[in-house]
Amino acid sequence: MRSAFAVIGLCALLLGCASIQNAPVNQPGSSTDLVGQLHENFEERTATDDDLVALSFSGGGTRAAAFSFGVLEELAQTPVRGGGASMIDRIDFISGVSGGSVTAAYFGLRKRAALADFREKFLLRNAEEGLQTDLNLATLGRAFAGGINDSSGLPRWLDANLFHGATFADLRQTVRPRVWINASDIYNRTPFVFGATAFSAMCSDLASYPLANAVAASAAVPVAFAPVVIQTFPGRCKDPLPAWIVKARDNRNAPPMLSAFAKAISRYHDGEIPYIKLLDGGLVDNYGLSGFTIALLSARAPYEPLSPQQAVKIRRGLFVVVDAKTGLSGNWINTIEGPSGVDLVKAAADTAIDASVGAGYTAFERTMGDWQAALIRWRCGLTAAERARYGARPGWNCHDLKFFVGRIGFDQLDPARAARLETVPTRFRLPPQQVDEVIAAGRDALRASSAFRMFAGRM
């Protein structure tokens, strides 16, 4: 009994000493002026070719960042049909979660130039320097107070070493690619997609929001990090809710993901939630498919989120989920006891994440199939005048449209190599040998993907 009181007293003492600083950095304002640049749809895409390429980078620390970087390197070596460019220059959309969001944001900012220095500037660096990453007596108080690390350490490191003050305004200076950075709204239990929809609803300025902070929110693992806080400013602007948000919010038969997202956006707008608390995006969507899925489910016309001109022009679409999630781990299956403590928390989180990503990917495949069918019906229903107005070329075939959807992961490589890769920790520091091994795995996994090979005309 005395020992129990001693533990309680120690916890109380630690809690009393702990202080978590999580002041929000977003500014009041309106994103109305940026809606044309930042709206969550595909209308920003330049219609310079008839292909649509989209990538989704999963969570998993530096190993996820390295795996997705290998995919980008392989795309840089893959010529497009007709020559003159490589496929990396045709990427239209990238969605990132946690470790994958680092690669997504940096590539979105630097484009092809990111290939030259991302390995040295991030993958080979220790992004955990200056952070406390272990749960022990010294960090227990901060863990109980909300998180071992507050929301300043990782953003500060990312900004000093990678983003150098870049904001979402810098990210959108060029049209292609469109980047989604995904976190988890832990109160509404929904994805939080950094974009114009959410920031307009809360009357906040997206353009000035630092990329480093958005990426850190996407990677804020519970307990290790305190939630990143976003403040809402209801009444500071006149922006009404988008019509599709109101419709999805009030429609009892709306798809669950869209309904939950719309209700969260409404709460931001109405002032019901003064402070939004964000943690790792993998908690609700470790594949980062929410941005794509919400854009499709919120479409008001069959061709959306494309423009009519793009919907007529497109012939092929490639959608690749780059999956660096963890494999099975832990030795507590060999005893009656366990798991306990940190292992129990990790096991529970991994179970929830793995259960959701499988269902999420299956739903995404179905959604993409439905969208392809809807596009074909719309195209085939166009009048001659509409076809001419939207730029249909002579000999145009309304049925000439094919989407290729695939997932690449360690498990698709040979078993011995996959087993070795799955032992790579999901930390933000890895030895160079492991970094290079994971990069090579990304190149090889994409090269072996049947969806990619069919899209690239290699099968």
Side-chain angles (χ1 to χ4, degrees):
M1 181 64 71
R2 288 182 179 177
S3 60
F5 280 119
V7 171
I8 294 172
L10 176 61
C11 290
L13 178 62
L14 292 171
L15 281 170
C17 295
S19 178
I20 302 298
Q21 299 299 321
N22 270 9
V25 301
N26 64 306
Q27 299 298 313
S30 172
S31 293
T32 301
D33 293 339
L34 289 176
V35 168
Q37 303 174 40
L38 297 166
H39 197 274
E40 279 79 21
N41 61 30
F42 297 167
E43 294 177 10
E44 304 157 357
R45 177 179 183 268
T46 55
T48 56
D49 57 75
D50 55 8
D51 292 335
L52 176 68
V53 178
L55 305 172
S56 184
F57 296 158
S58 82
T62 295
R63 86 174 192 177
F67 194 50
S68 54
F69 182 69
V71 169
L72 292 176
E73 285 195 330
E74 182 62 25
L75 288 172
Q77 299 300 316
T78 305
V80 298
R81 291 175 304 167
S86 69
M87 202 170 288
I88 197 171
D89 301 311
R90 297 292 176 86
I91 298 173
D92 298 285
F93 308 100
I94 299 181
S95 183
V97 174
S98 194
S101 72
V102 185
T103 313
Y106 194 65
F107 178 75
L109 186 67
R110 300 262 294 154
K111 314 300 186 289
R112 178 185 280 269
L115 298 181
D117 61 7
F118 185 66
R119 176 179 176 272
E120 287 69 28
K121 292 183 69 173
F122 178 76
L123 297 178
L124 297 183
R125 299 287 305 278
N126 176 15
E128 297 180 13
E129 60 185 352
L131 302 177
Q132 295 287 337
T133 55
D134 296 320
L135 183 61
N136 51 46
L137 283 177
T139 60
L140 185 62
R142 295 180 66 83
F144 272 97
I148 297 173
N149 299 280
D150 61 26
S151 60
S152 63
L154 184 57
R156 189 184 302 117
W157 190 95
L158 289 169
D159 199 57
N161 293 280
L162 204 59
F163 296 113
H164 306 296
T167 67
F168 276 85
D170 299 304
L171 190 66
R172 303 309 306 148
Q173 286 186 357
T174 57
V175 171
R176 188 186 247 179
R178 169 74 171 91
V179 177
W180 282 297
I181 298 175
N182 304 271
S184 296
D185 175 343
I186 58 173
Y187 179 81
N188 288 294
R189 305 170 191 171
T190 61
F192 183 92
V193 183
F194 282 87
T197 297
F199 274 71
S200 292
M202 67 180 77
C203 296
S204 184
D205 180 28
L206 174 61
S208 63
Y209 196 81
L211 282 180
N213 290 68
V215 171
S218 180
V221 177
V223 181
F225 293 94
V228 171
V229 180
I230 302 285
Q231 184 175 359
T232 63
F233 303 96
R236 293 284 191 97
C237 60
K238 303 289 186 183
D239 299 347
L241 283 173
W244 67 268
I245 289 286
V246 176
K247 181 179 178 181
R249 179 196 65 193
D250 298 339
N251 180 6
R252 296 180 180 179
N253 297 315
M257 175 187 287
L258 185 62
S259 175
F261 181 80
K263 289 175 181 176
I265 295 295
S266 294
R267 293 182 186 118
Y268 305 160
H269 184 267
D270 297 341
E272 184 179 338
I273 300 178
Y275 297 101
I276 304 165
K277 308 297 177 69
L278 304 178
L279 282 175
D280 194 316
L283 295 175
V284 294
D285 175 19
N286 200 45
Y287 281 170
L289 296 174
S290 300
F292 295 120
T293 304
I294 290 168
L296 293 171
L297 293 176
S298 64
R300 295 156 294 181
Y303 55 79
E304 288 188 349
L306 296 173
S307 70
Q309 292 79 7
Q310 292 158 353
V312 165
K313 185 178 180 64
I314 189 175
R315 295 179 57 205
R316 302 180 310 156
L318 175 67
F319 302 85
V320 176
V321 174
V322 183
D323 179 11
K325 65 177 173 43
T326 59
L328 302 178
S329 63
N331 59 7
W332 36 265
I333 58 170
N334 298 314
T335 63
I336 295 176
E337 298 79 14
S340 61
V342 175
D343 285 340
L344 180 60
V345 173
K346 183 178 184 300
D350 289 345
T351 299
I353 290 172
D354 279 8
S356 66
V357 295
Y361 179 73
T362 300
F364 181 71
E365 283 186 308
R366 184 167 58 250
T367 299
M368 296 308 300
D370 291 344
W371 187 38
Q372 176 181 298
L375 276 175
I376 291 174
R377 287 194 299 270
W378 175 80
R379 285 157 49 121
C380 292
L382 293 174
T383 65
E386 288 171 330
R387 291 196 298 270
R389 184 163 70 249
Y390 297 147
R393 299 173 180 174
W396 177 77
N397 180 359
C398 64
H399 291 280
D400 186 16
L401 175 65
K402 176 65 175 175
F403 287 163
F404 302 90
V405 182
R407 181 192 73 87
I408 63 171
F410 298 153
D411 57 319
Q412 295 168 342
L413 301 169
D414 70 80
R417 187 180 186 186
R420 187 170 63 252
L421 289 165
E422 287 186 348
T423 65
V424 177
T426 55
R427 302 286 298 262
F428 277 114
R429 61 180 186 195
L430 293 177
Q433 181 180 353
Q434 284 189 329
V435 168
D436 290 335
E437 186 174 14
V438 176
I439 292 173
R443 292 196 299 262
D444 294 343
L446 182 65
R447 194 180 304 125
S449 164
S450 59
F452 175 70
R453 292 166 63 195
M454 287 187 289
F455 177 82
R458 296 178 176 178
M459 292 183 68

